[in-house]
Amino acid sequence: QVQLVESGGGLVQAGASLTLSCAVSGRSLSGYRMGWFRQPLGREREFVSALDWSRGNTWYADSVKGRFTIFRDNGKSTFHLQMNSLSPEDTATYYCAAGWNSGVYTYAAREGYDSWGQGTQVTVSS
């Protein structure tokens, strides 16, 4: 079982940048996908970005493409979400997640992840 702990959330103004981090423990991440999802208050949890841990391929939701960057720390079981040009629409609880690359689900599907962090709040004021 993989354990994940997010950090880095906070309150920022529109246009600011913020970096979220996810520390992972429990097993080797070779063959795993790592993802970021977010859940605005009263809405469904939605895909933000994903990273193939072994190959380094990345994916982004259209709403964050060009503004957010997912990347990993080489040599550490930690990955991050760099968020630039934040807007109030980005306000949400952000969750990191991990799942085995079984090929059954797309990288954007919540069903493709079976380990989740506790969430970190990001609030963007206008």
Side-chain angles (χ1 to χ4, degrees):
Q1 186 74 12
V2 175
Q3 292 83 43
L4 305 101
V5 178
E6 301 101 338
S7 61
L11 170 64
V12 297
Q13 291 189 328
S17 298
L18 203 60
T19 300
L20 305 182
S21 299
C22 183
V24 189
S25 61
R27 60 154 293 148
S28 167
L29 298 180
S30 177
Y32 268 70
R33 61 180 61 179
M34 317 304 292
W36 287 98
F37 288 74
R38 66 187 182 186
Q39 187 166 14
L41 190 64
R43 292 169 56 184
E44 293 288 317
R45 192 171 299 189
E46 62 184 24
F47 170 74
V48 175
S49 182
L51 167 72
D52 184 311
W53 190 266
S54 299
R55 297 172 180 164
N57 296 3
T58 58
W59 293 262
Y60 297 93
D62 287 344
S63 60
V64 306
K65 202 170 293 183
R67 299 188 299 123
F68 291 11
T69 302
I70 188 172
F71 63 98
R72 57 175 284 188
D73 271 334
N74 289 328
K76 294 182 181 179
S77 295
T78 305
F79 65 106
H80 311 274
L81 185 69
Q82 170 72 41
M83 304 185 293
N84 298 328
S85 302
L86 285 163
S87 73
E89 289 69 36
D90 296 313
T91 295
T93 302
Y94 283 71
Y95 298 88
C96 61
W100 176 254
N101 278 329
S102 65
V104 174
Y105 298 105
T106 70
Y107 285 90
R110 286 178 292 177
E111 295 84 353
Y113 301 83
D114 53 15
S115 298
W116 295 81
Q118 80 285 357
T120 186
Q121 179 67 33
V122 173
T123 303
V124 185
S125 64
S126 58

